Amino acid sequence: MTHAASADDLRVSTLYDLSNHIALVTGGATGLGEMAAQAFVQNGATVFIASRKEKELKATTDRLNALGPGKCSYIIGDLKNKAGCLAVCDELKKRTDRLTVLVNNTGASWGDDYYNYPEHAWDKLYDLNVKSIFYMTVELEPLLRNGANADSPGRVINIASMAGIQTLDVTTGEAGGLSKPGHGTFSYGPAKAAAIHLTKMTASKLAPKNIMVNVICPGVFPSRMTNFGLEKYGKALTAGQPTGRIGKPSDFGGLVLFLSSKASAHMTGNAIEIDGGATLSGWRGTSRGDSESKL
């Protein structure tokens, strides 16, 4: 076994060959989901994207199919409850009997006053950010197992957030952030923390069935969820980045490809942080070069 590598093919073209992949990306018409879908299509995979708005789904599908060489099609659906999840899964089963990757990306956020935070902001976020992951994964398990083995397992990639790891006060200060000053996303972090824990539980359950389950925890990336903050308080958000920039499609898409590829076939239950070191370093500054402002 000293030279085990001699019996394997470690070329990038082999490790990252996605041409036989069939993926479903929920929330795939915009934002992070669109980044994942584009990464799949541009690397030859067949992709289904699902969300509520057909106009956005069609526009993204047309754009991705023009890029190729993979193929994209869409499913209209609302994952706000179990019935909605099952409806999307039923439609998918009409179109394919096999799924190699499930990207559970659908999610929502809600910013409001801590002392008058609405109950529906808890209900909505747990429905979309936690329950949909559970019901989609359970219902699509047979498709993920179809053709899977220890060397080429099915993959579930859940999308959580660094908010599910951080424990700081999320009340936005006067400099601005992802919600208006004085408000905060108080149900978002707990829901994403639940998604991370659910990932680890599901990974334990599904590993013997040759399905690997991991979760990506993005920091600030361009998306519908961050549009408000980036448009109004972009400088303040960038000041929290030690690299001097927020996340890009290549950062997120590249990680999705890795977690879908042969290169990660022996990984499961991991919560992967992708925020440029902002949380790890505790960076707070006005620019990358302003070392005096770093806490």
Side-chain angles (χ1 to χ4, degrees):
M1 301 299 291
T2 304
H3 302 289
S6 64
D8 216 335
D9 184 351
L10 303 181
R11 292 174 297 173
V12 168
S13 59
T14 299
L15 293 175
Y16 287 87
D17 180 6
L18 302 183
S19 60
N20 197 39
H21 273 36
I22 301 174
L24 170 65
V25 182
T26 67
T30 61
L32 295 174
E34 184 180 10
M35 296 175 200
Q38 180 170 327
F40 284 127
V41 168
Q42 288 194 290
N43 287 278
T46 297
V47 184
F48 298 92
I49 58 175
S51 68
R52 294 181 296 119
K53 299 178 180 179
E54 184 171 17
K55 183 178 180 181
E56 291 180 348
L57 285 166
K58 187 177 187 308
T60 297
T61 297
D62 290 346
R63 185 182 73 80
L64 295 185
N65 282 330
L67 288 175
K71 299 294 183 183
C72 180
S73 57
Y74 66 82
I75 298 172
I76 304 169
D78 190 345
L79 306 186
K80 65 182 180 181
N81 53 32
K82 181 178 180 180
C85 293
L86 297 185
V88 169
C89 294
D90 287 344
E91 179 60 31
L92 181 69
K93 291 173 184 177
K94 295 176 183 177
R95 306 191 197 183
T96 182
D97 64 354
R98 183 174 71 92
L99 194 67
T100 58
V101 187
L102 168 61
V103 181
N104 284 311
N105 171 70
T106 291
S109 185
W110 192 280
D112 222 315
D113 178 12
Y114 177 79
Y115 292 101
N116 193 31
Y117 202 76
E119 186 174 3
H120 67 79
W122 288 95
D123 297 337
K124 177 179 180 179
L125 267 62
Y126 270 80
D127 286 344
L128 288 172
N129 297 345
V130 186
K131 287 167 58 178
S132 72
I133 291 175
F134 178 82
Y135 288 120
M136 294 296 293
T137 304
V138 170
E139 189 66 18
L140 294 176
E141 181 184 318
L143 275 66
L144 289 162
R145 293 182 66 180
N146 187 7
N149 57 53
D151 293 323
S152 184
R155 314 300 174 93
V156 176
I157 304 172
N158 297 327
I159 310 304
S161 169
M162 290 304 297
I165 294 172
Q166 299 164 341
T167 57
L168 71 164
D169 179 8
V170 297
T171 305
T172 301
E174 290 304 316
L178 294 179
S179 57
K180 67 181 184 179
H183 284 202
T185 53
F186 301 103
S187 60
Y188 183 70
K192 290 301 188 179
I196 294 168
H197 192 73
L198 178 59
T199 297
K200 295 175 181 291
M201 292 173 60
T202 310
S204 296
K205 184 172 184 62
L206 297 183
K209 300 180 180 182
N210 293 319
I211 299 174
M212 305 288 101
V213 187
N214 294 286
V215 58
I216 298 175
C217 302
V220 181
F221 277 77
S223 71
R224 176 181 291 148
M225 200 176 295
T226 59
N227 275 347
F228 172 83
L230 289 175
E231 288 175 1
K232 290 185 173 292
Y233 310 112
K235 289 184 178 179
L237 290 170
T238 302
Q241 305 293 318
T243 59
R245 69 169 177 88
I246 63 170
K248 301 191 299 184
S250 58
D251 301 319
F252 186 78
L255 181 53
V256 169
L257 293 179
F258 168 68
L259 290 176
S260 304
S261 73
K262 186 176 181 180
S264 65
H266 206 49
M267 288 178 59
T268 198
N270 296 279
I272 303 174
E273 302 179 10
I274 178 170
D275 72 342
T279 301
L280 177 70
S281 66
W283 175 273
R284 297 293 182 272
T286 56
S287 69
R288 184 178 179 180
D290 186 1
S291 58
E292 295 301 318
S293 61
K294 183 178 178 182
L295 297 180

